[in-house]
């Protein structure tokens, strides 16, 4: 069974940085995709970034150039480095995973991901 546990959320001032972590277990497939999504109340869940087993990445337009997704295969942890955070980045951030790779343009389609974490809150406010 695949389990995902997010950590690293918190409160930060505009212009600040945070690094989110997603610890994975049970995802033993050699081909996979993992991703970050975010959601605010009343809005649809939005794809932020994804990475797969060959290190191909996808980014949402609103975070390109500010966020970086990476993974530590030995530790089975995925990271989201977030810089130049703005109030509009405030959301619950979710880690997601699927068996098998997802190629563009589907890498940030939430319906393609079968496994989800509980989320970690990020608040950007002065």
């Amino acid at each position: 069974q695949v389990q995902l546990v997010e950590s690293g959320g918190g409160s930060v001032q505009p212009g600040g940085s945070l690094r989110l972590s997603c610890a994975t277990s049970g995802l033993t497939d050699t081909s996979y995709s993992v991703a970050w999504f975010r959601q605010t109340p009343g809005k649809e869940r939005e794809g932020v970034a994804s990475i797969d087993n060959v290190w191909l990445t996808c980014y949402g337009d609103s975070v390109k150039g500010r966020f970086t997704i990476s993974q530590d295969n030995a530790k089975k942890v995925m990271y989201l480095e977030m810089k130049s955070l703005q109030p509009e980045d405030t959301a619950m951030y979710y880690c997601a995973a699927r068996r098998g790779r997802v190629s563009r343009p589907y890498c940030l389609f939430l319906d393609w991901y079968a496994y989800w974490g509980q989320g970690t809150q990020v608040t950007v406010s002065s």
Side-chain angles (χ1 to χ4, degrees), residues 45-79:
R45 197 165 291 192
E46 173 192 18
V48 176
S50 71
I51 190 168
D52 64 20
N53 55 288
V54 295
W55 285 75
L56 286 178
T57 58
C58 289
Y59 291 94
D61 288 342
S62 62
V63 305
K64 284 179 181 177
R66 300 188 300 123
F67 291 11
T68 303
I69 191 170
S70 63
Q71 59 188 337
D72 184 326
N73 294 113
K75 295 181 179 179
K76 297 187 183 300
V77 178
M78 176 180 61
Y79 302 100

Side-chain angles (χ1 to χ4, degrees), residues 11-18 66 82-90 122-126:
S11 296
V12 64
Q13 292 187 339
S17 301
L18 278 176
R66 300 188 300 123
M82 305 185 294
K83 298 182 179 179
S84 301
L85 284 162
Q86 299 301 319
E88 52 265 34
D89 295 314
T90 295
V122 172
T123 302
V124 185
S125 173
S126 56

Side-chain angles (χ1 to χ4, degrees), residues 27-33 52-54 73 98-101:
L27 190 62
T28 58
D29 305 63
T30 55
S31 177
Y32 63 84
S33 289
D52 64 20
N53 55 288
V54 295
N73 294 113
R98 60 162 282 133
R99 304 183 191 277
R101 295 172 57 205

